[in-house]
Amino acid sequence: MTAPGRVAFLGTGTSHGVPLIGCRCAVCTSDDPHDKRTRPSILITGPSGQVLVDTSPDFRQQALRHGVDRLDAVLYTHSHADHIMGFDDLRRFNHLQGAPVACYASEATWSDMRQTFHYVFADKPRTGGGIPEIVVHVIDGPVTVGGMRIVPVPLWHGQMRVLGFRTGGFAYLTDCNRLDDAAWPLLEGVDTLVLDALRDKPHSTHFTVREALDVVERLAPRCAYLTHMTHDLGHRDTSGRLPAGVQLAYDGLVIDVAVAPG
Ligand SMILES: [Zn+2]
Ligand SMILES: [Zn+2]
Ligand SMILES: [Zn+2]
């Protein structure tokens, strides 16, 4: 059983974003708004709430652009800076909602978050300055948030274990260059697949476009979107060479998906 849901691509760029600071290449200087990529994040709207995946360094601008004024939960894929550095901006949602924000991550991600954001987790009294008020949830199986049942999907990001997420017909697999053996059965029958595709040149921790297309062929979703792109991939040129049913995602893209009610 599925329910109607929506996914907004808040950011579709790699860790540097596109344009890169100080780069004069054709993509970084392009007039095409599709070539402006903030750091990677999506917002999933389910039957009874909105769930953010990762708090990127661009989270504040992304929330303003999309008019995000409520968050029912935040899910973290992993602890790299391009996925967590907007964490402090969850404070604004504490004010808006008058409550802590439920945040979900693996134990490994929480361990890194506790170091990176030590002031949030410190026991000692603070000397001024607010902190995000959150409720820590450790992901060790499917979670129910925003009226959706969301299944963590184990992925490999080089030597690092990270999480993708699936709900109903939709799956979001960013920051990976290999699917764990346990991931394949969890992705069976997926309808709308979002997949990391950094660039064409091989990379030790991200899929190339070709590698991403191999995964798409194996899973055979109805449609697929590539994300986490560098400035090597201009939107128009790259789009022109993708097979039918596969598109480059872009900042601001909103798609309808079928989520699993929970
Ligand atoms: Zn460039
Ligand atoms: Zn990463
Ligand atoms: Zn990343």
Side-chain angles (χ1 to χ4, degrees):
M1 199 180 69
T2 58
R6 211 166 56 232
V7 169
F9 288 87
L10 305 188
T12 59
T14 190
S15 60
H16 290 286
V18 179
L20 272 77
I21 295 171
C23 184
R24 304 299 300 164
C25 80
V27 175
C28 287
T29 57
S30 152
D31 291 333
D32 185 348
H34 297 98
D35 286 325
K36 311 284 181 230
R37 301 180 184 129
T38 60
R39 269 62 71 85
S41 178
I42 60 168
L43 183 74
I44 311 174
T45 303
S48 66
Q50 305 203 103
V51 176
L52 181 72
V53 180
D54 294 330
T55 47
S56 91
D58 300 311
F59 171 53
R60 176 173 168 272
Q61 292 297 342
Q62 294 167 341
L64 290 170
R65 176 180 183 178
H66 284 263
V68 182
D69 57 7
R70 178 171 185 85
L71 286 179
D72 295 276
V74 181
L75 306 181
Y76 284 99
T77 58
H78 66 307
S79 61
H80 282 164
D82 51 329
H83 298 258
I84 65 169
M85 281 302 175
F87 181 60
D88 198 77
D89 286 320
L90 292 178
R91 282 179 302 149
R92 182 63 192 132
F93 292 87
N94 297 146
H95 303 151
L96 286 169
Q97 296 168 201
V101 177
C103 294
Y104 294 75
S106 70
E107 189 50 65
T109 296
W110 280 125
S111 166
D112 290 343
M113 294 277 281
R114 280 186 204 102
Q115 290 196 37
T116 306
F117 300 100
H118 59 90
Y119 62 95
V120 176
F121 299 93
D123 291 330
K124 61 179 190 297
R126 298 192 304 279
T127 52
I131 58 163
E133 304 283 349
I134 61 157
V135 180
V136 170
H137 295 271
V138 176
I139 298 177
D140 53 11
V143 299
T144 300
V145 285
M148 295 173 280
R149 183 176 190 270
I150 299 186
V151 178
V153 178
L155 307 170
W156 290 96
H157 186 26
Q159 297 301 309
M160 186 183 197
R161 298 183 73 98
V162 310
L163 295 178
F165 297 105
R166 178 178 186 174
T167 179
F170 173 74
Y172 180 66
L173 314 180
T174 188
D175 290 67
C176 53
N177 64 332
R178 186 163 65 86
L179 275 60
D180 191 84
D181 289 344
W184 295 98
L186 298 175
L187 294 166
E188 216 166 271
V190 68
D191 173 85
T192 305
L193 176 68
V194 181
L195 201 53
D196 181 346
L198 188 74
R199 62 187 189 192
D200 289 317
K201 212 168 83 188
H203 191 274
S204 58
T205 64
H206 293 274
F207 281 131
T208 62
V209 172
R210 182 61 257 168
E211 290 165 343
L213 292 177
D214 290 343
V215 174
V216 171
E217 274 167 33
R218 182 164 164 192
L219 288 171
R222 183 180 56 84
C223 60
Y225 295 87
L226 306 183
T227 192
H228 211 293
M229 286 84 65
T230 72
H231 66 156
D232 287 356
L233 302 177
H235 185 84
R236 190 210 292 236
D237 287 354
T238 310
S239 299
R241 61 183 166 89
L242 295 176
V246 184
Q247 301 174 48
L248 281 197
Y250 54 86
D251 285 28
L253 172 66
V254 179
I255 58 174
D256 292 320
V257 299
V259 302

